[in-house]
PDB file of all heavy atoms in Angstrom:
ATOM      1  N   MET A   6      36.758 225.396  66.977  1.00 57.00           N
ATOM      2  CA  MET A   6      37.920 226.177  67.407  1.00 57.00           C
ATOM      3  C   MET A   6      37.829 226.367  68.924  1.00 57.00           C
ATOM      4  O   MET A   6      36.771 226.651  69.452  1.00 57.00           O
ATOM      5  CB  MET A   6      37.925 227.524  66.675  1.00 57.00           C
ATOM      6  CG  MET A   6      39.124 228.386  66.993  1.00 57.00           C
ATOM      7  SD  MET A   6      39.138 230.051  66.225  1.00 57.00           S
ATOM      8  CE  MET A   6      39.249 229.687  64.523  1.00 57.00           C
ATOM      9  N   GLU A   7      38.933 226.223  69.589  1.00 89.00           N
ATOM     10  CA  GLU A   7      38.994 226.419  71.035  1.00 89.00           C
ATOM     11  C   GLU A   7      38.684 227.872  71.369  1.00 89.00           C
ATOM     12  O   GLU A   7      39.002 228.785  70.603  1.00 89.00           O
ATOM     13  CB  GLU A   7      40.396 226.045  71.536  1.00 89.00           C
ATOM     14  CG  GLU A   7      40.556 226.127  73.015  1.00 89.00           C
ATOM     15  CD  GLU A   7      41.971 225.803  73.476  1.00 89.00           C
ATOM     16  OE1 GLU A   7      42.720 225.163  72.730  1.00 89.00           O
ATOM     17  OE2 GLU A   7      42.304 226.228  74.587  1.00 89.00           O
ATOM     18  N   LEU A   8      38.054 228.085  72.520  1.00 90.00           N
ATOM     19  CA  LEU A   8      37.624 229.433  72.912  1.00 90.00           C
ATOM     20  C   LEU A   8      38.794 230.416  72.929  1.00 90.00           C
ATOM     21  O   LEU A   8      38.668 231.550  72.448  1.00 90.00           O
ATOM     22  CB  LEU A   8      36.925 229.396  74.272  1.00 90.00           C
ATOM     23  CG  LEU A   8      36.364 230.710  74.775  1.00 90.00           C
ATOM     24  CD1 LEU A   8      35.403 231.341  73.769  1.00 90.00           C
ATOM     25  CD2 LEU A   8      35.675 230.513  76.118  1.00 90.00           C
ATOM     26  N   ILE A   9      39.916 230.014  73.455  1.00 91.00           N
ATOM     27  CA  ILE A   9      41.078 230.923  73.509  1.00 91.00           C
ATOM     28  C   ILE A   9      41.484 231.349  72.099  1.00 91.00           C
ATOM     29  O   ILE A   9      41.759 232.526  71.849  1.00 91.00           O
ATOM     30  CB  ILE A   9      42.256 230.282  74.265  1.00 91.00           C
ATOM     31  CG1 ILE A   9      41.950 230.269  75.765  1.00 91.00           C
ATOM     32  CG2 ILE A   9      43.565 231.022  73.991  1.00 91.00           C
ATOM     33  CD1 ILE A   9      43.007 229.635  76.629  1.00 91.00           C
ATOM     34  N   GLU A  10      41.505 230.401  71.173  1.00 92.00           N
ATOM     35  CA  GLU A  10      41.877 230.726  69.797  1.00 92.00           C
ATOM     36  C   GLU A  10      40.860 231.678  69.171  1.00 92.00           C
ATOM     37  O   GLU A  10      41.235 232.582  68.419  1.00 92.00           O
ATOM     38  CB  GLU A  10      42.029 229.453  68.967  1.00 92.00           C
ATOM     39  CG  GLU A  10      43.174 228.565  69.428  1.00 92.00           C
ATOM     40  CD  GLU A  10      44.518 229.282  69.488  1.00 92.00           C
ATOM     41  OE1 GLU A  10      44.859 230.003  68.524  1.00 92.00           O
ATOM     42  OE2 GLU A  10      45.222 229.139  70.499  1.00 92.00           O
ATOM     43  N   THR A  11      39.585 231.483  69.479  1.00 92.00           N
ATOM     44  CA  THR A  11      38.549 232.380  68.967  1.00 92.00           C
ATOM     45  C   THR A  11      38.753 233.787  69.522  1.00 92.00           C
ATOM     46  O   THR A  11      38.712 234.773  68.784  1.00 92.00           O
ATOM     47  CB  THR A  11      37.148 231.860  69.345  1.00 92.00           C
ATOM     48  OG1 THR A  11      36.958 230.579  68.761  1.00 92.00           O
ATOM     49  CG2 THR A  11      36.063 232.810  68.849  1.00 92.00           C
ATOM     50  N   LEU A  12      38.970 233.892  70.836  1.00 93.00           N
ATOM     51  CA  LEU A  12      39.141 235.212  71.452  1.00 93.00           C
ATOM     52  C   LEU A  12      40.347 235.951  70.881  1.00 93.00           C
ATOM     53  O   LEU A  12      40.307 237.171  70.709  1.00 93.00           O
ATOM     54  CB  LEU A  12      39.260 235.083  72.975  1.00 93.00           C
ATOM     55  CG  LEU A  12      38.019 234.576  73.705  1.00 93.00           C
ATOM     56  CD1 LEU A  12      38.279 234.524  75.206  1.00 93.00           C
ATOM     57  CD2 LEU A  12      36.791 235.417  73.387  1.00 93.00           C
ATOM     58  N   LYS A  13      41.406 235.223  70.576  1.00 92.00           N
ATOM     59  CA  LYS A  13      42.604 235.854  70.019  1.00 92.00           C
ATOM     60  C   LYS A  13      42.326 236.558  68.691  1.00 92.00           C
ATOM     61  O   LYS A  13      43.062 237.456  68.303  1.00 92.00           O
ATOM     62  CB  LYS A  13      43.708 234.818  69.807  1.00 92.00           C
ATOM     63  CG  LYS A  13      44.410 234.400  71.068  1.00 92.00           C
ATOM     64  CD  LYS A  13      45.497 233.389  70.698  1.00 92.00           C
ATOM     65  CE  LYS A  13      46.294 232.959  71.894  1.00 92.00           C
ATOM     66  NZ  LYS A  13      47.349 231.995  71.512  1.00 92.00           N
ATOM     67  N   THR A  14      41.266 236.154  68.000  1.00 93.00           N
ATOM     68  CA  THR A  14      40.939 236.774  66.711  1.00 93.00           C
ATOM     69  C   THR A  14      40.146 238.066  66.869  1.00 93.00           C
ATOM     70  O   THR A  14      39.941 238.779  65.894  1.00 93.00           O
ATOM     71  CB  THR A  14      40.141 235.802  65.803  1.00 93.00           C
ATOM     72  OG1 THR A  14      38.854 235.567  66.376  1.00 93.00           O
ATOM     73  CG2 THR A  14      40.886 234.501  65.594  1.00 93.00           C
ATOM     74  N   PHE A  15      39.697 238.369  68.086  1.00 93.00           N
ATOM     75  CA  PHE A  15      38.879 239.561  68.341  1.00 93.00           C
ATOM     76  C   PHE A  15      39.750 240.705  68.847  1.00 93.00           C
ATOM     77  O   PHE A  15      40.651 240.507  69.668  1.00 93.00           O
ATOM     78  CB  PHE A  15      37.792 239.256  69.375  1.00 93.00           C
ATOM     79  CG  PHE A  15      36.776 238.221  68.955  1.00 93.00           C
ATOM     80  CD1 PHE A  15      36.084 237.510  69.915  1.00 93.00           C
ATOM     81  CD2 PHE A  15      36.505 237.968  67.621  1.00 93.00           C
ATOM     82  CE1 PHE A  15      35.138 236.559  69.549  1.00 93.00           C
ATOM     83  CE2 PHE A  15      35.552 237.020  67.245  1.00 93.00           C
ATOM     84  CZ  PHE A  15      34.869 236.315  68.215  1.00 93.00           C
ATOM     85  N   GLU A  16      39.432 241.913  68.393  1.00 92.00           N
ATOM     86  CA  GLU A  16      40.211 243.107  68.763  1.00 92.00           C
ATOM     87  C   GLU A  16      40.274 243.332  70.281  1.00 92.00           C
ATOM     88  O   GLU A  16      41.280 243.794  70.792  1.00 92.00           O
ATOM     89  CB  GLU A  16      39.634 244.347  68.078  1.00 92.00           C
ATOM     90  CG  GLU A  16      39.896 244.414  66.590  1.00 92.00           C
ATOM     91  CD  GLU A  16      41.377 244.523  66.251  1.00 92.00           C
ATOM     92  OE1 GLU A  16      42.072 245.369  66.848  1.00 92.00           O
ATOM     93  OE2 GLU A  16      41.827 243.750  65.391  1.00 92.00           O
ATOM     94  N   PHE A  18      40.712 241.393  72.587  1.00 94.00           N
ATOM     95  CA  PHE A  18      41.666 240.514  73.262  1.00 94.00           C
ATOM     96  C   PHE A  18      43.054 240.541  72.635  1.00 94.00           C
ATOM     97  O   PHE A  18      43.910 239.731  73.005  1.00 94.00           O
ATOM     98  CB  PHE A  18      41.110 239.095  73.291  1.00 94.00           C
ATOM     99  CG  PHE A  18      39.749 239.037  73.917  1.00 94.00           C
ATOM    100  CD1 PHE A  18      38.608 238.976  73.131  1.00 94.00           C
ATOM    101  CD2 PHE A  18      39.600 239.098  75.298  1.00 94.00           C
ATOM    102  CE1 PHE A  18      37.342 238.957  73.699  1.00 94.00           C
ATOM    103  CE2 PHE A  18      38.340 239.084  75.876  1.00 94.00           C
ATOM    104  CZ  PHE A  18      37.211 239.011  75.071  1.00 94.00           C
ATOM    105  N   ILE A  21      46.715 240.145  74.479  1.00 95.00           N
ATOM    106  CA  ILE A  21      46.513 239.461  75.762  1.00 95.00           C
ATOM    107  C   ILE A  21      47.015 238.033  75.599  1.00 95.00           C
ATOM    108  O   ILE A  21      46.562 237.307  74.705  1.00 95.00           O
ATOM    109  CB  ILE A  21      45.032 239.495  76.199  1.00 95.00           C
ATOM    110  CG1 ILE A  21      44.590 240.948  76.403  1.00 95.00           C
ATOM    111  CG2 ILE A  21      44.824 238.672  77.464  1.00 95.00           C
ATOM    112  CD1 ILE A  21      43.134 241.123  76.776  1.00 95.00           C
ATOM    113  N   ASN A  22      47.948 237.636  76.452  1.00 94.00           N
ATOM    114  CA  ASN A  22      48.561 236.322  76.311  1.00 94.00           C
ATOM    115  C   ASN A  22      47.630 235.198  76.787  1.00 94.00           C
ATOM    116  O   ASN A  22      46.582 235.450  77.389  1.00 94.00           O
ATOM    117  CB  ASN A  22      49.916 236.261  77.032  1.00 94.00           C
ATOM    118  CG  ASN A  22      49.803 236.446  78.537  1.00 94.00           C
ATOM    119  OD1 ASN A  22      48.843 236.003  79.165  1.00 94.00           O
ATOM    120  ND2 ASN A  22      50.793 237.102  79.117  1.00 94.00           N
ATOM    121  N   LYS A  23      48.022 233.969  76.496  1.00 93.00           N
ATOM    122  CA  LYS A  23      47.179 232.809  76.780  1.00 93.00           C
ATOM    123  C   LYS A  23      46.861 232.685  78.271  1.00 93.00           C
ATOM    124  O   LYS A  23      45.719 232.393  78.644  1.00 93.00           O
ATOM    125  CB  LYS A  23      47.846 231.528  76.280  1.00 93.00           C
ATOM    126  CG  LYS A  23      46.998 230.301  76.456  1.00 93.00           C
ATOM    127  CD  LYS A  23      47.646 229.057  75.893  1.00 93.00           C
ATOM    128  CE  LYS A  23      46.723 227.873  76.125  1.00 93.00           C
ATOM    129  NZ  LYS A  23      47.315 226.632  75.659  1.00 93.00           N
ATOM    130  N   LEU A  26      44.246 235.203  79.053  1.00 95.00           N
ATOM    131  CA  LEU A  26      42.976 234.798  78.453  1.00 95.00           C
ATOM    132  C   LEU A  26      42.312 233.711  79.304  1.00 95.00           C
ATOM    133  O   LEU A  26      41.098 233.716  79.496  1.00 95.00           O
ATOM    134  CB  LEU A  26      43.174 234.308  77.018  1.00 95.00           C
ATOM    135  CG  LEU A  26      43.452 235.396  75.981  1.00 95.00           C
ATOM    136  CD1 LEU A  26      43.835 234.780  74.646  1.00 95.00           C
ATOM    137  CD2 LEU A  26      42.268 236.321  75.834  1.00 95.00           C
ATOM    138  N   GLU A  27      43.116 232.801  79.831  1.00 94.00           N
ATOM    139  CA  GLU A  27      42.575 231.762  80.719  1.00 94.00           C
ATOM    140  C   GLU A  27      41.984 232.371  81.984  1.00 94.00           C
ATOM    141  O   GLU A  27      40.918 231.941  82.450  1.00 94.00           O
ATOM    142  CB  GLU A  27      43.663 230.741  81.062  1.00 94.00           C
ATOM    143  CG  GLU A  27      44.021 229.859  79.882  1.00 94.00           C
ATOM    144  CD  GLU A  27      45.258 228.994  80.111  1.00 94.00           C
ATOM    145  OE1 GLU A  27      45.963 229.190  81.125  1.00 94.00           O
ATOM    146  OE2 GLU A  27      45.508 228.118  79.256  1.00 94.00           O
ATOM    147  N   ILE A  30      38.647 233.827  80.996  1.00 95.00           N
ATOM    148  CA  ILE A  30      37.647 232.789  80.739  1.00 95.00           C
ATOM    149  C   ILE A  30      37.070 232.230  82.040  1.00 95.00           C
ATOM    150  O   ILE A  30      35.895 231.862  82.099  1.00 95.00           O
ATOM    151  CB  ILE A  30      38.246 231.677  79.846  1.00 95.00           C
ATOM    152  CG1 ILE A  30      38.421 232.223  78.425  1.00 95.00           C
ATOM    153  CG2 ILE A  30      37.373 230.429  79.847  1.00 95.00           C
ATOM    154  CD1 ILE A  30      39.212 231.318  77.502  1.00 95.00           C
ATOM    155  N   LEU A  58      30.249 235.793  70.158  1.00 96.00           N
ATOM    156  CA  LEU A  58      31.073 234.726  69.611  1.00 96.00           C
ATOM    157  C   LEU A  58      30.630 234.366  68.197  1.00 96.00           C
ATOM    158  O   LEU A  58      31.454 234.209  67.309  1.00 96.00           O
ATOM    159  CB  LEU A  58      31.003 233.483  70.501  1.00 96.00           C
ATOM    160  CG  LEU A  58      31.625 233.634  71.881  1.00 96.00           C
ATOM    161  CD1 LEU A  58      31.346 232.409  72.741  1.00 96.00           C
ATOM    162  CD2 LEU A  58      33.125 233.870  71.760  1.00 96.00           C
TER     163      LEU A  58
END
Side-chain angles (χ1 to χ4, degrees):
M6 183 183 295
E7 184 182 340
L8 183 56
I9 286 179
E10 295 305 314
T11 299
L12 294 181
K13 283 181 178 181
T14 67
F15 297 156
E16 288 296 312
F18 305 100
I21 298 177
N22 64 35
K23 184 177 179 183
L26 286 172
E27 289 170 351
I30 288 170
L58 293 173

